[in-house]
Amino acid sequence: MKSLIHRLQQHIPVSDAEIDEFLQIHAFPWVEENTVLFFYRGDAEQVRLRHWIFGLPSSQDFFRIPSTRHWVLQADIPHQSRIEYKFEVVQRGHSHWIRDPLNKHLAYDPFGANSVCQGAGYLTPEWTLEDTESRAGTLEDIEIDSQAYGGKRHLTVYLPARFRPRRRYPLLIVHDGPDYKRYSSLKFVLDNLIHRSEVAPLIVALQHPIQRLQEYPDHPAQAQFTVHEVLPLLQERYPIHDIPQMRGLMGASFGGVATLSTAWRHPEVFGRLLLQSGSFAFTDIGENKRGPLFDPVVDFMNRFRKHPGKPSEKVFVTCGMYESLIYENRSIVPLLQKTGMEVEYRESRDGHNWINWRDHLRDALTWLFPGPLWMIYE
Amino acid sequence: MPHLIVLGPQRLEPTVHHILKEHGIDGDIALVSAGWQEREEEDEELREVLGSQCRVHNLRIHARCEDVFHADTDLFEAHRARQDQLRDLQNLYRFRLDKLVEAAQHLFRHLGDPALVLPERADAIAAIQRLDQHHLQRLQLVHQEFETRWRSLERPAIQQQREEIHSVLGYCPTIAIAGGHVAVLLNRIRMLGIETFFANRRLVAWSAGAMALSDRVVLFHDHPPQGAGTPEILDLGLGYFKGLLPLPHAKRRLNLDDPARVALLAQRFHPSLCCALDEGSRIQATSSGWKIYPHTRLLHSDGHVQHFSHATVLPSPHASEHANQFPSRDALPSAEKAAALDSFTSATEIPTLASFNSSTKIPTLASFTSATEIPTLAPKGESR
């Protein structure tokens, strides 16, 4: 079969029967060491690979093997990479974006699903999957009448398994909470890591944004809501430690900006921060080139860079190497370190997506809220 | 009938009820579940497992210690100070241990002329063992000074709890010691001197319960999310048995497919048998040695892991000696109780509290560098 792959790579015609036989045995995209071969079979005028890898052309043309309906594209895929992609198929002058028909691996986000190519060495972490051994925490929804936003808001509160009202717990507040739960398996992650004593049993409040693109980029109401409405309500209802070291705030993308700006506006409230692929766009000179949505972000980041203060004590920063925000995230690390905060920074070969953020949760949460792993032998 | 049965984890696939039944153990059983901390009395699952076969009497060790802390605040303060001291000692030990283990790991993976490499490995192991021994002696000193000064078992708040426990144990020939937080379990048992009641009783212990009964408590995890995963000695155990190092939850915590790690662990703790305990594991003390049952695995010095298809007795003098002849402080007049930490006979043996001889010359804490002058490491994310 290797010869067939070789022939495809060399754009040598291969019969439908040979392809059928091959597909019954093997999966596409075909990954071998640092190379991936994408394959599409069908009538088309053009086929392109569409992906979200910063640094590579976002559209790459497939090659049609002459006199066949077979389209191939070979690309580099470094070890442990993870790439989300779609195929753009042009038929009768119309372009359609489709998921790779030969690939069963999908990743979901609020906009739908993408196909996923996993490079050699990438494995879905087992602690992200539902584990029947793990005692499950519970979720409860609460409504909050927000003065900051002038209306009802919802929170989902995670209580760890074997929650006891007489015990005190650390608190973690999560921006984009429902998305973290749905697309980053946050509940399974919490259940597993707490059950395994890797993370301290903690209460986690999932914020439900309504207009996240307006609320999260340094909106004063969001900080006000989190610090003066959500936090007091949680402290009133749940047994939560009342010290910054036991309070955490986290978010991804614009949620990362909301996390940093809330902590910056209210230093010494949250002693633990998790910033995942924060949209930390800034300018040294000239205008913001990312569009008007980023204007408040850039305005905040420029102010923050000038006067960072010391928003927290421990900050865990993550980013994917294939994100357009990698430069901004790498830049913020030394700035955070200079404030005197303890900073950990991790990168992965992934893009701006929920699986990337999921895959960093173990490293981040075990560092921010370590559990009694070494001591528990049930 | 064995006086000591060591089991693997019991939560998911409990076996304790079968084993008790097999040995005809029924009736009243005293339960120590202090490792579950404030949940120690949430023992419904265990009671359900044991069913009508046994009446479980939870000794409420954790709760009783809380009562003692409330009643005797001087002792509480002293206890906290000792825990701080132990924590500092642990950090100092880790400073040195991590480097030694890292060097040994490197040597165990190094391929070269055996004539050159093997002596280096042996000396690397010896260096770790010397440090472990040193750490144990310092821990022992801390405990001994605490006991000498506070004579905890003579304090009224503790005596009252002990009398109540003693009366419950009067009709419980069997004590079950569950797992959980090993430091808390060990600490609370030691605080109330529960080990002094072990004599002439059958003990069934699993996971952290088994670790606490051993002569030294070794914490381990080969792939923790943070840190290097260096096994470390936490404390002296209760010394109820020797020659056996229980390693509960091995399939999750140990990389048994890595011969270098297995060899290093087994050699470091030789001559103790390093036993991987998982669901279904079981070890019994017999007159001729440790009886190892299927689902229990043994780590060997050459890096291989032995499985058992049927129950096998591994000769060990410790199995018979320590299962049935535990010294009882309880039987002595109170003035002699502190001195009852006796029979420390050989400098080459790992000392335990139970085998401590106060006449043995061990340097005092004051002769060591003051703890306040030594920088501390961040704890491994847990408290005692």
Side-chain angles (χ1 to χ4, degrees):
Chain A
M1 279 303 165
K2 282 226 164 185
S3 64
L4 185 137
I5 291 291
H6 178 73
R7 283 158 61 197
L8 287 173
Q9 285 170 328
Q10 299 302 314
H11 306 157
I12 299 169
V14 176
S15 72
D16 276 0
E18 285 177 290
I19 289 290
D20 287 341
E21 186 187 348
F22 187 83
L23 293 181
Q24 285 188 348
I25 305 169
H26 296 287
F28 270 89
W30 175 271
V31 175
E32 197 170 64
E33 296 182 354
N34 289 334
T35 303
V36 56
L37 187 74
F38 295 97
F39 180 85
Y40 178 74
R41 179 164 58 175
D43 295 321
E45 289 137 30
Q46 187 61 268
V47 180
R48 299 186 188 98
L49 178 71
R50 291 290 195 165
H51 60 76
W52 293 268
I53 300 174
F54 184 68
L56 295 177
S58 61
S59 170
Q60 296 188 42
D61 289 343
F62 276 62
F63 180 84
R64 180 179 198 159
I65 299 173
S67 309
T68 71
R69 301 186 306 144
H70 303 151
W71 300 77
V72 292
L73 170 66
Q74 185 173 317
D76 290 341
I77 183 162
H79 196 68
Q80 292 191 323
S81 292
R82 199 182 148 280
I83 295 170
E84 297 191 8
Y85 67 95
K86 278 195 168 84
F87 289 167
E88 181 185 3
V89 180
V90 182
Q91 292 167 319
R92 297 186 196 90
H94 293 287
S95 167
H96 308 281
W97 286 38
I98 62 167
R99 295 192 289 265
D100 182 347
L102 298 178
N103 186 355
K104 63 177 187 207
H105 294 295
L106 298 176
Y108 296 87
D109 62 24
F111 308 104
N114 293 314
S115 296
V116 180
C117 174
Q118 299 176 348
Y122 176 87
L123 285 174
T124 299
E126 53 83 26
W127 49 266
T128 65
L129 306 173
E130 185 173 17
D131 181 350
T132 53
E133 281 193 20
S134 298
R135 296 184 178 93
T138 56
L139 297 172
E140 51 190 53
D141 289 316
I142 58 178
E143 199 174 65
I144 180 165
D145 201 359
S146 170
Q147 290 190 351
Y149 279 122
K152 303 272 187 210
R153 291 272 159 159
H154 287 89
L155 293 172
T156 301
V157 179
Y158 171 89
L159 300 178
R162 304 197 293 185
F163 169 78
R164 292 174 67 91
R166 289 178 63 189
R167 189 174 183 178
R168 288 183 143 199
Y169 293 87
L171 169 70
L172 175 64
I173 298 178
V174 184
H175 293 98
D176 291 312
D179 286 346
Y180 260 110
K181 175 174 168 282
R182 186 167 179 191
Y183 305 117
S184 294
S185 310
L186 181 60
K187 182 169 183 298
F188 292 150
V189 170
L190 290 169
D191 286 346
N192 291 339
L193 297 183
I194 291 172
H195 175 77
R196 298 172 191 190
S197 305
E198 294 186 9
V199 167
L202 72 169
I203 293 174
V204 181
L206 310 180
Q207 288 200 14
H208 296 229
I210 294 176
Q211 296 288 336
R212 66 184 298 279
L213 294 179
Q214 283 77 50
E215 293 163 5
Y216 281 180
D218 189 40
H219 196 305
Q222 177 60 26
Q224 173 83 3
F225 174 63
T226 299
V227 173
H228 294 302
E229 297 179 357
V230 172
L231 189 55
L233 179 79
L234 294 170
Q235 283 177 320
E236 184 190 314
R237 290 196 181 193
Y238 301 101
I240 292 167
H241 282 290
D242 195 17
I243 52 174
Q245 293 81 0
M246 292 289 179
R247 286 195 292 258
L249 191 60
M250 67 176 274
S253 192
F254 269 35
V257 177
T259 300
L260 184 61
S261 79
T262 299
W264 185 65
R265 286 169 178 271
H266 301 276
E268 298 181 13
V269 173
F270 295 99
R272 303 287 182 264
L273 301 182
L274 171 53
L275 309 174
Q276 299 204 277
S277 305
S279 307
F280 300 133
F282 63 90
T283 54
D284 288 315
I285 188 169
E287 297 293 311
N288 154 44
K289 293 187 174 58
R290 287 179 177 267
L293 273 179
F294 273 80
D295 285 344
V297 176
V298 172
D299 183 52
F300 161 66
M301 285 306 297
N302 288 349
R303 279 183 286 129
F304 175 74
R305 284 162 59 83
K306 202 177 277 184
H307 303 291
K310 189 181 177 188
S312 187
E313 287 186 11
K314 291 180 78 169
V315 189
F316 201 100
V317 183
T318 78
C319 195
M321 286 182 203
Y322 304 152
E323 298 187 44
S324 70
L325 289 159
I326 188 68
Y327 165 74
E328 285 81 356
N329 277 270
R330 284 175 178 162
S331 301
I332 204 172
V333 173
L335 180 67
L336 295 173
Q337 286 168 330
K338 265 169 82 176
T339 66
M341 295 188 292
E342 207 177 330
V343 181
E344 277 284 319
Y345 176 63
R346 300 288 160 83
E347 288 184 357
S348 53
R349 291 190 172 276
D350 207 328
H352 195 78
N353 62 65
W354 290 97
I355 299 301
N356 176 15
W357 302 328
R358 178 198 70 180
D359 288 356
H360 283 294
L361 286 174
R362 182 178 186 232
D363 280 349
L365 296 178
T366 56
W367 190 74
L368 294 169
F369 297 102
L373 172 67
W374 282 79
M375 295 289 187
I376 303 287
Y377 304 79
E378 279 194 327
Chain B
M1 184 176 295
H3 280 232
L4 172 66
I5 302 173
V6 168
L7 302 176
Q10 291 295 303
R11 187 175 83 86
L12 295 174
E13 296 173 35
T15 54
V16 61
H17 52 304
H18 296 309
I19 290 160
L20 294 180
K21 200 170 182 180
E22 181 185 313
H23 290 294
I25 300 171
D26 54 15
D28 297 285
I29 288 187
L31 173 65
V32 176
S33 55
W36 303 351
Q37 299 167 268
E38 73 274 22
R39 288 191 291 269
E40 80 175 337
E41 291 181 76
E42 294 176 13
D43 53 15
E44 299 82 5
E45 280 181 24
L46 189 58
R47 287 174 189 273
E48 208 169 293
V49 165
L50 293 173
S52 57
Q53 171 186 350
C54 300
R55 285 180 296 280
V56 176
H57 304 273
N58 196 318
L59 295 179
R60 300 177 53 253
I61 303 296
H62 191 271
R64 288 178 190 279
C65 287
E66 294 300 306
D67 292 345
V68 168
F69 287 146
H70 281 113
D72 189 342
T73 52
D74 287 346
L75 185 66
F76 174 60
E77 292 300 330
H79 171 83
R80 283 220 324 208
R82 176 178 61 169
Q83 297 312 108
D84 289 345
Q85 204 174 20
L86 291 172
R87 229 186 321 268
D88 287 346
L89 264 183
Q90 200 69 15
N91 285 333
L92 297 176
Y93 166 63
R94 281 181 199 147
F95 270 137
R96 302 173 64 192
L97 180 67
D98 284 345
K99 299 295 177 198
L100 289 179
V101 171
E102 188 185 338
Q105 281 173 340
H106 188 75
L107 286 167
F108 272 71
R109 294 186 195 289
H110 183 77
L111 300 174
D113 180 357
L116 293 176
V117 175
L118 293 182
E120 297 305 315
R121 287 184 189 168
D123 196 57
I125 289 289
I128 299 171
Q129 288 172 329
R130 278 194 297 274
L131 176 61
D132 288 343
Q133 180 76 19
H134 168 78
H135 185 51
L136 280 165
Q137 287 177 339
R138 295 208 65 189
L139 293 166
Q140 186 182 42
L141 193 62
V142 171
H143 290 306
Q144 192 237 342
E145 287 190 348
F146 181 86
E147 279 301 317
T148 302
R149 177 161 182 200
W150 292 96
R151 294 185 170 272
S152 56
L153 299 193
E154 297 169 28
R155 300 180 77 84
I158 288 186
Q159 279 189 333
Q160 183 193 334
Q161 300 295 345
R162 283 175 57 81
E163 283 166 16
E164 290 176 19
I165 291 167
H166 191 252
S167 72
V168 175
L169 289 176
Y171 47 87
C172 294
T174 302
I175 301 175
I177 305 179
H181 194 297
V182 67
V184 171
L185 175 65
L186 178 65
N187 179 288
R188 299 305 194 265
I189 289 177
R190 188 176 275 155
M191 185 175 165
L192 297 185
I194 303 301
E195 75 276 17
T196 63
F197 299 126
F198 289 168
N200 302 319
R201 288 192 173 81
R202 285 182 298 263
L203 292 188
V204 182
W206 58 90
S207 296
M211 296 167 77
L213 288 182
S214 182
D215 53 357
R216 58 196 156 177
V217 174
V218 176
L219 307 179
F220 60 96
H221 199 302
D222 278 353
H223 30 72
Q226 307 287 337
T230 306
E232 65 181 45
I233 289 177
L234 172 75
D235 206 344
L236 300 139
L238 297 168
Y240 185 72
F241 61 80
K242 289 182 183 176
L244 183 72
L245 183 66
L247 301 167
H249 293 283
K251 71 180 177 193
R252 176 158 280 166
R253 302 180 77 105
L254 290 177
N255 186 359
L256 296 180
D257 296 328
D258 182 344
R261 283 195 94 106
V262 170
L264 181 51
L265 191 64
Q267 289 186 30
R268 176 178 169 188
F269 295 110
H270 180 81
S272 289
L273 301 175
C274 292
C275 290
L277 302 177
D278 285 298
E279 280 72 17
S281 295
R282 170 182 174 190
I283 301 170
Q284 284 175 197
T286 71
S287 57
S288 48
W290 298 110
K291 192 171 186 181
I292 314 282
Y293 284 77
H295 304 292
T296 310
R297 289 175 288 174
L298 188 63
L299 281 61
H300 283 273
S301 295
D302 63 0
H304 93 273
V305 178
Q306 183 179 1
H307 297 249
F308 295 86
S309 57
H310 56 274
T312 305
V313 176
L314 301 178
S316 165
H318 297 302
S320 54
E321 284 175 16
H322 297 278
N324 300 334
Q325 298 175 18
F326 189 77
S328 171
R329 279 191 292 179
D330 193 46
L332 297 173
S334 60
E336 295 174 39
K337 282 178 182 169
L341 304 167
D342 58 5
S343 72
F344 179 51
T345 53
S346 165
T348 57
E349 285 189 10
I350 300 294
T352 69
L353 261 193
S355 64
F356 184 77
N357 180 353
S358 58
S359 67
T360 305
K361 285 189 180 173
I362 285 181
T364 63
L365 269 189
S367 68
F368 288 98
T369 307
S370 164
T372 56
E373 294 173 8
I374 301 173
T376 58
L377 276 179
K380 272 187 172 173
E382 60 280 318
S383 58
R384 288 168 185 263

